[in-house]
């Protein structure tokens, strides 16, 4: 990207992070521990999870307003006060997260696999975002990742194994089974459950 274009994109990103910083304390419900689903899509999974874990404060984020409206409708139908959804890009949300809100559990279910070699850099689970997650998570926090995509699964496993702040927990059972829109579509399940060291 030419320098002017990069500077402009960086300035726009910085403005979005600032705006998020102002919104997050209220939208995430104030200080404390949070269960976060990144890329919550149509919300099936987090609504089921939140209903089964009424003592956890759960938030789902996604880029697409249309999907988030469906998430909110599902939440409202179940009357779940512990669940909420917001529009945010995941890395930006992690950069804007208030220091007194800690991510005790993070779920990433069927993230976009960016299957072409030249697009692999766009995948969410990679070293820079594991750094961001590590800063947001207390020791012992769990990160659960599921995909149908063999190559993304392998690459995510390598990134976790190489990262000093994360430890893969081999044989750890998947924390909570419930359908997701893409799981129903794709069927295959390849998981990693990791712990913040
Ligand atoms: C393949 S869909 C999976 C949705 C859902 N987890 C499921 O299993 O049905 C990936 C979702 O992640 C969202 N997404 C992609 N990149 C994101 C990002 N950087 N931050 C937040 N959401 C993102 C997309 O908008 C999309 O809804």
């Amino acid at each position: 990207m030419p320098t002017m274009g990069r500077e402009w994109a960086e300035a726009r990103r910085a403005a979005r992070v600032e705006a998020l910083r102002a919104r997050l304390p209220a939208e995430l419900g104030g200080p404390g521990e949070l269960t976060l689903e990144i890329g919550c899509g149509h919300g099936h999974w987090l609504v089921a999870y939140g209903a089964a874990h009424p003592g956890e404060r759960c938030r789902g984020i996604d880029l697409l307003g249309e999907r988030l409206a469906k998430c909110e409708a599902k939440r409202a139908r179940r009357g779940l006060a512990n669940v909420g959804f917001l529009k945010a890009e995941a890395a930006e949300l992690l950069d804007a997260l208030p220091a007194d809100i800690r991510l005790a559990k993070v779920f990433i279910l069927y993230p976009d696999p960016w299957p072409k070699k030249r697009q692999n850099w766009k995948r969410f689970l990679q070293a820079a975002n594991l750094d961001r997650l590590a800063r947001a998570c207390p020791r012992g926090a769990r990160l659960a990742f599921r995909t149908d995509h063999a190559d993304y699964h392998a690459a995510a496993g390598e990134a976790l194994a190489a990262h000093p702040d994360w430890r893969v927990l081999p044989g750890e059972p998947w924390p909570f089974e419930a359908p997701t829109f893409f799981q129903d579509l794709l069927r295959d399940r390849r998981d990693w459950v990791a712990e913040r060291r």
Side-chain angles (χ1 to χ4, degrees), residues 37 39-41 61-64 67 88-90 109-112 180-183:
E37 186 188 358
C40 57
I61 61 164
D62 205 283
L63 296 171
L64 302 179
R67 290 187 180 170
E89 195 282 323
L109 301 168
Y110 296 89
D112 297 327
T180 86
F181 185 85
F182 279 84
Q183 182 166 295

Side-chain angles (χ1 to χ4, degrees), residues 40-44 47 60-77 84-88:
C40 57
H42 300 74
H44 300 87
V47 165
I61 61 164
D62 205 283
L63 296 171
L64 302 179
E66 201 181 288
R67 290 187 180 170
L68 288 162
K70 291 183 176 161
C71 294
E72 173 51 25
K74 287 185 187 72
R75 184 207 69 76
R77 274 199 297 277
F85 295 95
L86 56 144
K87 188 169 179 174

Side-chain angles (χ1 to χ4, degrees), residues 8-180:
W8 182 76
E10 280 168 9
R12 298 228 341 178
R13 183 186 192 278
R16 286 194 302 272
V17 170
E18 260 333 288
L20 264 176
R21 209 165 263 139
R23 278 168 54 200
L24 287 182
E27 292 194 26
L28 296 180
E33 289 201 339
L34 200 69
T35 296
L36 179 71
E37 186 188 358
I38 292 175
C40 57
H42 300 74
H44 300 87
W45 189 87
L46 194 65
V47 165
Y49 182 93
H53 299 81
E56 289 183 29
R57 179 159 37 129
C58 305
R59 294 292 182 272
I61 61 164
D62 205 283
L63 296 171
L64 302 179
E66 201 181 288
R67 290 187 180 170
L68 288 162
K70 291 183 176 161
C71 294
E72 173 51 25
K74 287 185 187 72
R75 184 207 69 76
R77 274 199 297 277
R78 304 281 291 266
L80 299 174
N82 63 322
V83 176
F85 295 95
L86 56 144
K87 188 169 179 174
E89 195 282 323
E92 292 175 6
L93 175 128
L94 294 170
D95 287 348
L97 195 71
D100 57 7
I101 299 180
R102 302 284 79 202
L103 304 182
K105 298 178 186 172
V106 179
F107 293 93
I108 307 174
L109 301 168
Y110 296 89
D112 297 327
W114 298 105
K116 294 185 180 142
K117 255 276 154 303
R118 67 170 191 283
Q119 301 172 327
N120 285 176
W121 66 271
K122 296 183 182 178
R123 289 175 173 170
F124 181 76
L125 206 81
Q126 40 147 322
N129 286 330
L130 286 173
D131 289 345
R132 289 187 168 93
L133 286 165
R135 284 195 289 275
C137 291
R139 191 182 276 255
R142 294 294 169 92
L143 170 61
F145 172 89
R146 174 173 278 182
T147 179
D148 65 307
H149 197 272
D151 182 65
Y152 192 4
H153 180 254
E158 281 167 26
L160 284 164
H163 198 285
D165 294 329
W166 292 100
R167 183 168 74 92
V168 171
L169 302 173
E172 181 82 355
W174 185 249
F176 183 75
E177 285 295 352
T180 86

